[in-house]
Amino acid sequence: MIYAMHDMIKRYDTFIKYSLIGVTGVVLDFGMFAILTKYFKVYYQFANILSVSLGITNNFLLNAYFNFKLTDNLFVRFMKFYSVGLVGLMLSTVFLFIFIEVMLIEGILAKIVVIGVVAIIQFKLNKIFSFKEYHQVESGNINKSHVQERGSK
């Protein structure tokens, strides 16, 4: 039983770390959103842009340095990660509008639901798009560049 659990943790190590790092981004995102909307009365859509951007930047840096440990082409990787984040931002903006303006759900509750849905979508996109490893493989005299998803076998 212990070995099975150890193997499962080892197999899903990247996902577990990604999720834990994601929690820090969620705390920053949610906290900034709450502070901006409740205390500073910032319009919820503008507050969402600021809070999501803070969470994206936090998550990228922690994932690049501590999870995927891929810091080559850092700016390019950040732009890819932020692009995925912008997809999440667009989705969260639409979902928040629907939940708050159409369904009349309170803003903080709506934000909690939206964060969960968008986080799942972003993990899949970042795993495929932002954190790929690029390997140079020599085959005789021919160099081929292969792209391999980190953690795949």
Side-chain angles (χ1 to χ4, degrees):
M1 172 97 161
I2 293 174
Y3 294 114
M5 187 171 221
H6 179 266
D7 288 343
M8 185 177 76
I9 290 171
K10 186 176 178 182
R11 182 175 183 184
Y12 294 106
D13 179 60
T14 302
F15 177 73
I16 292 167
K17 287 178 186 173
Y18 185 92
S19 298
L20 293 173
I21 288 169
V23 168
T24 67
V26 166
V27 168
L28 286 172
D29 179 0
F30 185 76
M32 181 61 69
F33 181 83
I35 289 167
L36 291 172
T37 57
K38 295 297 179 188
Y39 297 108
F40 293 100
K41 305 300 183 203
V42 174
Y43 178 60
Y44 75 88
Q45 292 290 20
F46 185 65
N48 188 52
I49 291 168
L50 293 175
S51 67
V52 167
S53 292
L54 178 63
I56 291 169
T57 303
N58 171 78
N59 290 355
F60 172 75
L61 292 171
L62 292 177
N63 271 299
Y65 284 97
F66 300 110
N67 187 14
F68 295 97
K69 295 181 178 140
L70 295 172
T71 56
D72 61 315
N73 302 312
L74 201 59
F75 182 74
V76 172
R77 289 186 189 281
F78 178 72
M79 296 312 318
K80 288 180 179 183
F81 194 88
Y82 201 85
S83 295
V84 169
L86 290 179
V87 169
L89 177 61
M90 287 185 287
L91 289 173
S92 70
T93 300
V94 170
F95 289 150
L96 281 174
F97 176 79
I98 292 168
F99 290 163
I100 293 170
E101 302 292 338
V102 177
M103 299 174 69
L104 303 176
I105 296 173
E106 196 274 326
I108 300 297
L109 178 60
K111 182 69 174 177
I112 291 169
V113 172
V114 168
I115 284 173
V117 171
V118 171
I120 293 167
I121 294 166
Q122 286 180 306
F123 171 74
K124 291 294 188 184
L125 291 174
N126 275 315
K127 187 173 179 186
I128 294 167
F129 184 61
S130 303
F131 289 108
K132 293 231 181 222
E133 285 189 86
Y134 298 92
H135 298 283
Q136 293 294 325
V137 178
E138 286 192 31
S139 176
N141 293 331
I142 302 170
N143 286 332
K144 297 180 182 179
S145 180
H146 294 279
V147 178
Q148 178 182 358
E149 190 174 307
R150 180 147 176 102
S152 64
K153 297 181 184 203

